[in-house]
Amino acid sequence: MDTSLSWIKAYVPDLDVTAQEYMDAMTLSGTKVEGYTALDADLENIVVGEILKIERHPDAEKLVVCQVDVGTGEPVQIVTGAPNVEEGQKVPVVLDGGRVAGSHDGKMTPGGVKIKKGKLRGVESNGMMCSIEELGQTKELFPESPEYGIYVFPENAEVKAGESAVKALGLDDVIFEYEITSNRVDCYSVIGIAREAAATFRKKFVPPVVEVKGSGGDVNDYIKVDVKDADLCPRYCARVVKNIKLAPSPKWMQRRLAVNGIRPINNIVDITNYVMEEYGQPMHAYDLDTIAGHQILVRRADKGEKFVTLDGQERTMDDSVLMICDGEKAIGIAGIMGGENSMITDSVETMLFEAACFDGVNIRLSSKKIGLRTDASGKFEKGLDPNNAQAAIDRACQLIEELGAGEVVDGMVDVYTGLKEPVRVPFDPERINALLGTDISREQMLSYLDTVELRYDDKTEEIVAPTFRQDIQCMADLAEEVARFYGYDNIPTTLPKGEATTGKLPFKLRVEAIARDIAEFCGFSQGMSYSFESPKVFDKLLLDPEDPLRRAITISNPLGEDFSIMRTTPLNGMLTSLATNYNRRNKDVRLYELGNIYMAEELPLAELPDERMQFTLGMYGEGDFYTMKGVVEEFFDKIGMRGRKVYDPKAGKNFLHPGRQAEIHYGGRIVGFLGEVHPVVAEAYGIGERSYVAVLDMPAILPFATFDRKYEGIARYPAVNRDISMVIPKEVLAGQIEEVIESKGGSYLESFQLFDIYEGAQIKPGFKSVAYSIVFRAKDKTLEEADVSAAMKRILKGLEALDAELRQ
């Protein structure tokens, strides 16, 4: 968004600041100014001169000697080669010692070019008459300037010799470039910026006084409007202007438009563009005689409908694009561009003015679909205030009357579904001060809010925000308004209150940090893989057709088939990374990843998927199943999960070795699994060694994790050790034995550890030998033999249920 300072001053007449002061103050008050350009930055000592006499140069055919009145009493002699000089003309003249804009190889010379008096082919010249380019401008801003030669003021220009030519040409101005946030739609207009400037500098804001006189008649006799899709067009305003007189718009309007990067065309087109910049409300003008049936119909396009826009391009619509139609055909793409079939031509007699409000999201999507983005769509897509449409169309009609461009028919067709009401926000000064860390009085807050038209309702104790302030929705928004006019630099430094001041990470992130620490301590390096995957992954992992992991979310605009679904398991990324390392001949590779999987409740999606963080470990080379199990156990111990874990070998994971896998249970819940990768799966990924993986479901683990630690003193009494060796059936798991020891050991049981497993010729077929070391200790006495013997008898009795036989 660009504006000139002179345009801002038209609505804030008392504004008297330098460009730098304006930029600094506006930025601090919340309207960020990216930078500015002074039009007269390189211009110095340039005045209006009147050519009194022209003589031929005695020694050069293409040069002439001019006597120029520059308001000093005595004419100044200037030699020029300009082909368009004539006596009586008034032209810009740079005097001796002055500066003009200059260029070299098409680039502007910083600081301009200094002009000194001298001689041209032996004749003295005391200055230079300037072309528009030498004043740092272009023909876009001054279309009346000649292609070659000096700039000549129009005959009706009210300028006198000796006056500042810079001021006479309107070059004593500054162009500001703003960065407007998308929630401040009102500031995408000159009036919006001017309102902010008035509030920032505590000056009076004087908006245009709009009054349309009208010429009689009834607009309803000229046009009918029917809005079929009110959800996409909440308001449509239409006015009619007859007896159109096309002509160039006045210089002041052309200059303001050109400064904003808009090329002047004619009075009608310029008025629509001018109001769009001034009010932030795009408008469009149609030739009423080209509108079939004098009827406007606002509807969605037909799928595949073709339409030729004003730029002469044929575009294909779909049924989500909103169209402006007449009784027979489409005449415009709503909010984007009008049609070639209804454009304003030199033969126009009666014109229809349109000012509407369209759904911003729809305009944005439609603009992308048809590949056409305009100044109008750029404003509409941000969501405009429907109450601004009438003010804008009345302003356009007022300018029509003031410029003598036509006669405005009385009345306006206004299709408005659901009046937009001002937002009311409770006003609570104490909460605002608490949020800001300030001590601003109630009266001072209200004065700040009043400067930007946020009025206070005494009866309800609410702030009433006008509809153009769509960013005001809650108390925090009011606090922001107070803060920016109070001055962010005036707010004292205070410490925030609450748990955040303790400097702790959230519990979830603390657990994840420990997962990283344990993995890296055990030699694992962190990896990261894509959340997008290919459906072919499921076959590589040997998943059953009905496996829930196959219920993946399909991406609507994928980069390709290999990235077309959201992953439901982290294994593909891990195995792909292991395979890459194996194929590059890296030995003993250990990787880990903390990443999300995406589980859908139902397909197609009716709600957001369940994003579950998975702690994934993968390795090959040195180590085996029990190495991986040890890393998992270390992690569980570190996060306080010191209860008994059950490793169920009947995990049923097709991608794991059927005899070397386990599902991990804790507290009655499945918290993960681990095992050796199935040889077929490993071969499919190109891994030529035994590889092992573990996947822990962090959301399932978090309820059991704890960082509460209770100090226990050093044991004061001796421990009693007992070793037990037994023969048990092979299908009996170590976990089942340990469950018996733990449940039967009693209160004196301190610890136990498996120290031997043996299968061989000395053991009968179908059985194995296992041996445990069991430690007993009492906290308040030295244990006696009877205490330990009683505990051992209970343990042995429990082991009999597992068909265990003590080895002698």
Side-chain angles (χ1 to χ4, degrees):
M1 178 70 190
D2 294 347
T3 70
S4 65
L5 185 58
S6 62
W7 202 348
I8 297 296
K9 287 182 177 180
Y11 311 125
V12 192
D14 296 333
L15 187 62
D16 184 18
V17 292
T18 65
Q20 189 65 45
E21 289 171 345
Y22 180 90
M23 183 175 79
D24 293 342
M26 291 291 282
T27 299
L28 283 175
S29 68
T31 307
K32 185 180 180 183
V33 181
E34 287 286 323
Y36 65 86
T37 302
L39 298 182
D40 61 352
D42 297 329
L43 306 181
E44 185 179 334
N45 204 13
I46 301 176
V47 300
V48 176
E50 183 177 355
I51 301 175
L52 302 176
K53 186 178 179 180
I54 301 176
E55 297 176 339
R56 293 183 61 125
H57 193 288
D59 295 326
E61 291 185 5
K62 295 184 178 180
L63 297 178
V64 294
V65 181
C66 302
Q67 302 300 322
V68 184
D69 178 8
V70 293
T72 58
E74 293 292 330
V76 173
Q77 181 171 290
I78 297 176
V79 180
T80 180
N84 64 325
V85 293
E86 296 179 7
E87 293 181 358
Q89 290 176 336
K90 293 179 179 178
V91 297
V93 176
V94 55
L95 300 177
D96 178 33
R99 289 183 182 274
V100 293
S103 64
H104 178 69
D105 294 335
K107 298 181 179 179
M108 298 304 295
T109 303
V113 176
K114 190 171 185 178
I115 302 300
K116 297 180 180 180
K117 66 180 180 179
K119 291 184 178 182
L120 290 176
R121 301 292 293 270
V123 176
E124 186 174 305
S125 182
N126 297 303
M128 184 180 76
M129 291 180 279
C130 306
S131 68
I132 202 64
E133 288 78 15
E134 287 163 334
L135 296 174
Q137 306 306 313
T138 64
K139 285 184 63 64
E140 289 186 357
L141 193 59
F142 293 88
E144 73 277 11
S145 62
E147 190 71 27
Y148 301 102
I150 60 173
Y151 179 83
V152 179
F153 285 98
E155 292 182 4
N156 60 352
E158 297 180 359
V159 293
K160 296 179 180 180
E163 290 181 354
S164 169
V166 171
K167 186 173 183 179
L169 291 168
L171 300 181
D172 56 339
D173 204 353
V174 184
I175 310 304
F176 293 98
E177 179 185 355
Y178 304 87
E179 180 186 318
I180 307 298
T181 55
S182 58
N183 67 325
R184 288 303 305 274
V185 183
D186 58 302
C187 287
Y188 285 92
S189 67
V190 178
I191 285 180
I193 296 290
R195 186 185 291 109
E196 289 293 309
T200 299
F201 294 100
R202 306 293 191 270
K203 301 295 184 181
K204 185 178 181 181
F205 173 58
V206 184
V209 178
V210 179
E211 181 182 355
V212 182
K213 297 177 181 178
S215 62
D218 184 356
V219 69
N220 294 292
D221 297 335
Y222 289 80
I223 192 71
K224 298 287 187 290
V225 177
D226 183 14
V227 178
K228 292 292 186 185
D229 294 284
D231 57 324
L232 301 183
C233 178
R235 190 174 196 185
Y236 191 99
C237 300
R239 298 199 70 160
V240 172
V241 181
K242 61 183 182 179
N243 299 326
I244 297 295
K245 300 178 181 65
L246 289 181
S249 54
K251 296 300 180 186
W252 62 267
M253 180 177 287
Q254 291 186 28
R255 301 280 162 78
R256 286 181 177 179
L257 290 175
V259 161
N260 279 36
I262 299 175
R263 182 173 61 89
I265 298 176
N266 58 49
N267 50 4
I268 299 301
V269 176
D270 291 354
I271 285 172
T272 62
N273 287 330
Y274 184 84
V275 174
M276 178 176 70
E277 295 300 309
E278 185 180 40
Y279 278 75
Q281 170 66 51
M283 302 181 63
H284 193 69
Y286 300 97
D287 185 339
L288 186 61
D289 293 330
T290 65
I291 298 177
H294 285 192
Q295 177 186 2
I296 290 292
L297 176 65
V298 183
R299 61 162 176 84
R300 283 179 167 88
D302 297 326
K303 192 170 184 179
E305 181 176 348
K306 306 288 186 181
F307 182 71
V308 180
T309 47
L310 276 172
D311 56 3
Q313 299 293 315
E314 183 180 75
R315 304 179 189 276
T316 304
M317 310 295 129
D318 66 15
D319 54 7
S320 67
V321 179
L322 192 66
M323 304 296 292
I324 308 297
C325 308
D326 62 15
E328 299 175 355
K329 61 189 179 301
I331 59 174
I333 306 175
I336 301 177
M337 185 177 281
E340 191 178 51
N341 55 8
S342 61
M343 65 186 296
I344 297 294
T345 62
D346 293 343
S347 60
V348 63
E349 295 182 358
T350 308
M351 180 187 68
L352 174 70
F353 254 146
E354 166 195 283
C357 185
F358 303 110
D359 179 72
V361 174
N362 178 263
I363 295 297
R364 174 64 172 163
L365 293 175
S366 298
S367 177
K368 292 184 69 176
K369 286 177 182 176
I370 65 177
L372 178 61
R373 196 166 191 270
T374 60
D375 289 340
S377 68
K379 286 182 166 59
F380 275 123
E381 68 188 24
K382 294 173 177 63
L384 300 184
D385 174 19
N387 292 334
N388 192 39
Q390 181 176 356
I393 201 169
D394 286 346
R395 173 63 166 164
C397 290
Q398 178 195 34
L399 291 172
I400 288 283
E401 293 180 336
E402 290 181 355
L403 302 184
E407 300 173 7
V408 180
V409 175
D410 288 352
M412 179 182 73
V413 177
D414 187 6
V415 181
Y416 196 178
T417 56
L419 177 67
K420 185 173 182 179
E421 298 288 350
V423 174
R424 290 176 169 268
V425 179
F427 179 58
D428 190 339
E430 291 184 2
R431 288 187 63 197
I432 292 176
N433 275 324
L435 181 63
L436 299 179
T438 55
D439 187 18
I440 305 172
S441 68
R442 175 192 183 91
E443 291 71 22
Q444 192 174 359
M445 288 185 187
L446 290 176
S447 71
Y448 292 147
L449 298 175
D450 188 64
T451 59
V452 284
E453 301 181 29
L454 300 175
R455 310 303 186 198
Y456 178 62
D457 187 337
D458 289 318
K459 295 181 180 179
T460 62
E461 295 185 348
E462 294 174 319
I463 296 296
V464 182
T467 54
F468 63 78
R469 286 300 303 270
Q470 301 183 40
D471 60 309
I472 304 297
Q473 298 293 330
C474 63
M475 187 276 295
D477 298 325
L478 296 182
E480 181 183 5
E481 296 299 299
V482 171
R484 67 193 187 98
F485 291 118
Y486 177 72
Y488 292 112
D489 52 334
N490 294 325
I491 297 177
T493 301
T494 56
L495 289 175
K497 298 179 180 179
E499 187 180 352
T501 57
T502 62
K504 291 182 180 179
L505 284 173
F507 183 78
K508 173 178 177 291
L509 297 184
R510 292 172 67 191
V511 174
E512 291 176 10
I514 288 177
R516 292 187 185 92
D517 289 345
I518 293 299
E520 291 168 7
F521 175 78
C522 295
F524 288 75
S525 298
Q526 185 171 13
M528 184 176 293
S529 55
Y530 291 114
S531 296
F532 300 164
E533 289 187 335
S534 167
K536 298 176 183 177
V537 166
F538 303 135
D539 293 332
K540 289 179 73 175
L541 294 175
L542 307 179
L543 297 184
D544 295 331
E546 66 279 2
D547 195 304
L549 295 181
R550 287 183 177 268
R551 299 180 65 236
I553 302 164
T554 302
I555 299 168
S556 59
N557 56 341
L559 298 174
E561 184 184 5
D562 289 343
F563 303 95
S564 61
I565 62 170
M566 302 297 291
R567 66 180 177 185
T568 57
T569 172
L571 287 177
N572 176 65
M574 178 57 68
L575 294 177
T576 300
S577 298
L578 291 176
T580 300
N581 279 275
Y582 178 80
N583 292 322
R584 293 179 181 176
R585 301 186 178 182
N586 292 328
K587 298 181 179 180
D588 302 326
V589 173
R590 296 186 177 192
L591 300 175
Y592 79 93
E593 179 183 8
L594 280 163
N596 286 340
I597 60 171
Y598 304 86
M599 307 301 295
E601 185 69 26
E602 59 178 326
L603 293 176
L605 283 176
E607 57 185 20
L608 291 175
D610 182 14
E611 299 185 29
R612 303 185 70 83
M613 176 66 71
Q614 307 286 288
F615 178 27
T616 309
L617 299 159
M619 70 178 192
Y620 68 79
E622 184 180 352
D624 55 16
F625 176 91
Y626 295 103
T627 305
M628 182 68 79
K629 181 172 178 286
V631 177
V632 172
E633 288 283 351
E634 184 76 16
F635 169 64
F636 285 152
D637 184 69
K638 195 70 174 178
I639 61 174
M641 293 173 60
R642 295 177 178 173
R644 194 176 64 83
K645 298 93 180 171
V646 176
Y647 292 86
D648 183 3
K650 298 178 181 179
K653 306 293 183 185
N654 293 0
F655 45 79
L656 297 180
H657 192 294
R660 298 168 191 157
Q661 60 175 281
E663 200 167 57
I664 308 171
H665 296 252
Y666 188 91
R669 294 185 62 180
I670 300 172
V671 296
F673 62 85
L674 77 158
E676 181 183 329
V677 178
H678 196 289
V680 174
V681 175
E683 182 180 358
Y685 279 92
I687 305 174
E689 292 189 29
R690 286 187 176 185
S691 49
Y692 302 88
V693 294
V695 178
L696 302 179
D697 186 36
M698 299 300 276
I701 287 172
L702 286 177
F704 302 112
T706 177
F707 294 107
D708 293 338
R709 301 289 186 268
K710 186 177 180 180
Y711 170 76
E712 292 186 3
I714 298 174
R716 298 172 59 189
Y717 299 97
V720 178
N721 293 346
R722 291 289 187 270
D723 290 344
I724 181 173
S725 179
M726 70 196 84
V727 177
I728 60 171
K730 284 186 177 181
E731 61 270 14
V732 176
L733 303 177
Q736 294 174 272
I737 298 173
E738 292 172 1
E739 182 180 4
V740 170
I741 296 173
E742 189 173 13
S743 61
K744 303 295 185 180
S747 59
Y748 297 142
L749 178 67
E750 184 177 79
S751 64
F752 53 87
Q753 184 174 1
L754 174 67
F755 67 87
D756 182 60
I757 299 179
Y758 175 75
E759 296 180 30
Q762 294 86 353
I763 307 299
K764 57 184 178 180
F767 284 77
K768 60 184 176 182
S769 171
V770 295
Y772 278 88
S773 176
I774 305 174
V775 179
F776 297 94
R777 191 195 305 267
K779 295 180 180 181
D780 56 352
K781 67 175 183 176
T782 299
L783 289 177
E784 298 180 358
E785 178 62 27
D787 299 323
V788 177
S789 298
M792 288 300 298
K793 286 181 181 179
R794 293 194 300 272
I795 291 172
L796 295 174
K797 186 69 174 177
L799 291 174
E800 290 178 2
L802 300 178
D803 294 332
E805 300 176 5
L806 286 180
R807 294 188 65 184
Q808 302 297 327

